[in-house]
Amino acid sequence: MDDAPMMTAADLAARLNVSLETVYKMCKTHKWPHTKIGRIYRFNEEHYQTIIATPPAPELKPRTQRENIARLLRLTQ
């Protein structure tokens, strides 16, 4: 087993320049690899390398009802 120290969620957030809330959300939705010890998330260097190698998912802009109707009307023409 690797003797490298495990990072905390706060350590990972600092390395990735994201919020702690983002780290927890990505772990809870199983989008980022992690090791869970009890209720605590831990990350090793392999987890970190996998996270930075994975491209971020595009953020979807919420549509208004008017935009949805206009899009549907364009599709039917």
Side-chain angles (χ1 to χ4, degrees):
M1 187 166 190
D2 193 7
D3 290 334
M6 299 286 278
M7 289 181 275
T8 64
D11 295 338
L12 183 67
R15 275 183 89 173
L16 295 173
N17 197 25
V18 298
S19 69
L20 191 56
E21 183 178 290
T22 298
V23 173
Y24 288 133
K25 182 173 74 169
M26 297 303 274
C27 289
K28 287 178 185 176
T29 58
H30 303 286
K31 293 181 181 177
W32 283 357
H34 60 278
T35 300
K36 193 168 181 185
I37 304 169
R39 295 183 299 166
I40 301 171
Y41 293 105
R42 293 285 190 235
F43 307 88
N44 60 24
E45 189 63 30
E46 184 179 332
H47 294 148
Y48 173 74
Q49 292 300 326
T50 302
I51 291 167
I52 62 171
T54 305
E59 291 190 28
L60 300 177
K61 178 184 153 209
R63 294 183 184 259
T64 64
Q65 186 175 8
R66 177 174 277 159
E67 290 173 328
N68 284 333
I69 292 170
R71 185 176 58 85
L72 290 171
L73 288 172
R74 281 193 305 272
L75 291 174
T76 59
Q77 293 176 355

